Amino acid sequence: MSGLFGQPSAAAGTNTMGDISKDVTLTAPPEDGISDLKFSPQSEHLAVASWDKKVRIYEINASGGSDGKALFEHEQPVLGCCWSKDGTKVVGAGADKAARMMDLSSGNTNTAQQVAAHDAPIRCARFVDIPQQQSQMLVTGSWDKTIKYWDLRQSTPVASVSCQERVYSLDVMNTLLVVGTADRYIDIINLSDPGKFYKTIQSPLKWQTRVVTCFNDGSGFAVGSVEGRCAIQYVEDKDSSANFSFKCHRSTPTGGQNANVYSVNAISFHPQHGTFSTAGSDGTFHFWDKDAKHRLKGYPEVGGPITATDFNRTGNIFAYSVSYDWSKGYAVNTPQTVNKVMLHAVTGDECKPRPKTGGRK
């Protein structure tokens, strides 16, 4: 029996090295660095944000083929993107200090309206459900050191919250909103009271935060940093004994004494299993089981830094972008730098949690 992308659907076995030889390349990828990608929560559509100032929307079919369906532009590079819960709207967060939204339900495929503004580039955006609010709202995080909440029917923010430093990453799950800023601050907001911080902590990692991603149940989040390390952090103090960090995306050259340390650029949680991926500047990705504190699979180097990742809604496709991540400055970004999005079919036990000891045989 054949699975997605023509892959065998049998169990993956116990080999901890994964296979990327059958990964499929997205058709007509962006022309410059890829900053973010997100699957629709309702269909097999993928939004891709790029430094070429565009957000592209692709449709993915069961064989791994892809077709460009829509595109909209910013005035400057696009640093992030997100979908509304109903899958009808795509938002881009831009270095032009604006968030722009395309409503796909209107039949529009090439223009977007501005829905948010900041005093500095907007690094990230997410749709959020605020208790007692009838419609979804948009939250944006900016290098102007604020997050803002937007009712898409209004031109001014409903609320603005000042952070300690520039916003580098944010994520939301249920009523949990987590914001990672410069200087290693992590602000935690309970969306039942969205105008203030529920808790602020310093990152458990010693160096700059690159990404924060919420657990599927909203009880905590994972943090990735430039030092090749990932932290698992629960929100409530009663769960603090389960907090831990681990090294990843490091390599020791043959005969070398010092390890090469790479940034953790992206963390994504599997929508069904609750396991998660890390991906980094070393051009590799790995699947992990946080509860068993165990690496499930590691994958070979893909030909360049991985800048963004996401699972589709069922968890049977893992998308990753191969692109320059600016870790060595602008001069290293050349016209020959690869920019592509790859689709990896998740098969067998690749992302399944490790069986619990003492469970069923």
Side-chain angles (χ1 to χ4, degrees):
M1 181 178 176
S2 178
L4 188 76
F5 299 3
Q7 294 261 40
S9 56
T14 57
N15 182 14
T16 58
M17 179 54 72
D19 181 17
I20 59 172
S21 65
K22 296 182 177 63
D23 291 4
V24 178
T25 305
L26 193 73
T27 302
E31 299 158 6
D32 203 343
I34 299 163
S35 55
D36 200 9
L37 54 80
K38 287 288 184 291
F39 274 106
S40 166
Q42 298 294 334
S43 61
E44 299 307 328
H45 289 83
L46 178 68
V48 181
S50 171
W51 282 74
D52 67 7
K53 309 178 186 178
K54 298 178 179 68
V55 177
R56 295 169 171 82
I57 294 100
Y58 302 84
E59 184 175 18
I60 313 300
N61 62 42
S63 65
S66 52
D67 292 307
K69 293 297 183 182
L71 173 152
F72 64 90
E73 291 199 45
H74 281 248
E75 295 174 2
Q76 295 291 331
V78 190
L79 305 179
C81 61
C82 66
W83 291 82
S84 60
K85 183 183 288 187
D86 64 5
T88 64
K89 299 174 180 67
V90 178
V91 167
D96 55 1
K97 309 176 187 178
R100 303 178 191 275
M101 182 182 76
M102 174 180 279
D103 186 348
L104 297 169
S105 65
S106 68
N108 173 32
T109 60
N110 58 14
T111 57
Q113 66 176 114
Q114 183 171 340
V115 292
H118 280 261
D119 295 330
I122 301 177
R123 178 62 183 87
C124 35
R126 291 288 187 275
F127 280 91
V128 295
D129 290 308
I130 307 291
Q132 284 78 56
Q133 293 288 330
Q134 292 184 341
S135 59
Q136 271 203 311
M137 300 181 74
L138 183 72
V139 61
T140 51
S142 168
W143 292 345
D144 68 7
K145 306 181 184 181
T146 69
I147 62 167
K148 295 182 179 181
Y149 299 93
W150 304 85
D151 183 326
L152 298 178
R153 298 166 295 185
Q154 302 176 16
S155 59
T156 56
V158 174
S160 178
V161 182
S162 295
C163 300
Q164 302 84 354
E165 253 293 352
R166 291 153 291 165
V167 175
Y168 284 166
S169 179
L170 65 78
D171 197 27
V172 64
M173 180 58 69
N174 303 328
T175 59
L176 173 66
L177 172 63
V178 180
V179 183
T181 77
D183 285 354
R184 300 173 42 249
Y185 288 102
I186 296 178
D187 296 315
I188 300 165
I189 294 175
N190 183 337
L191 290 173
S192 298
D193 190 5
K196 68 178 185 181
F197 298 140
Y198 175 73
K199 182 184 291 188
T200 294
I201 66 171
Q202 290 276 172
S203 169
L205 307 178
K206 296 178 181 178
W207 299 94
Q208 177 184 310
T209 300
R210 284 286 289 155
V211 59
V212 293
T213 305
C214 296
F215 302 166
N216 291 349
D217 63 2
S219 65
F221 51 93
V223 186
S225 75
V226 298
E227 80 212 64
R229 191 180 285 269
C230 179
I232 298 298
Q233 192 79 19
Y234 286 83
V235 172
E236 301 299 340
D237 292 341
K238 64 180 177 62
D239 300 319
S240 62
S241 62
N243 296 341
F244 69 98
S245 65
F246 60 95
K247 296 177 183 178
C248 52
H249 301 283
R250 300 181 176 208
S251 65
T252 302
T254 303
Q257 295 181 341
N258 298 319
N260 292 324
V261 179
Y262 300 90
S263 172
V264 179
N265 292 331
I267 298 173
S268 300
F269 279 86
H270 191 279
Q272 295 181 346
H273 301 314
T275 52
F276 68 99
S277 64
T278 62
S281 294
D282 60 341
T284 70
F285 63 92
H286 305 264
F287 294 150
W288 309 84
D289 180 347
K290 68 177 175 60
D291 299 322
K293 299 182 180 179
H294 176 73
R295 190 182 77 157
L296 300 169
K297 286 279 185 182
Y299 293 82
E301 206 272 332
V302 299
I306 299 176
T307 55
T309 61
D310 199 26
F311 289 99
N312 69 337
R313 59 195 170 129
T314 59
N316 66 348
I317 303 175
F318 177 71
Y320 58 94
S321 58
V322 183
S323 183
Y324 184 52
D325 62 357
W326 304 99
S327 60
K328 295 181 180 179
Y330 73 91
V332 180
N333 190 34
T334 69
Q336 290 72 43
T337 301
V338 63
N339 293 298
K340 62 182 179 179
V341 175
M342 303 299 295
L343 304 174
H344 175 80
V346 180
T347 59
D349 296 332
E350 279 185 294
C351 286
K352 288 184 179 178
R354 196 177 192 184
K356 290 182 172 59
T357 303
R360 290 181 297 174
K361 302 292 185 185

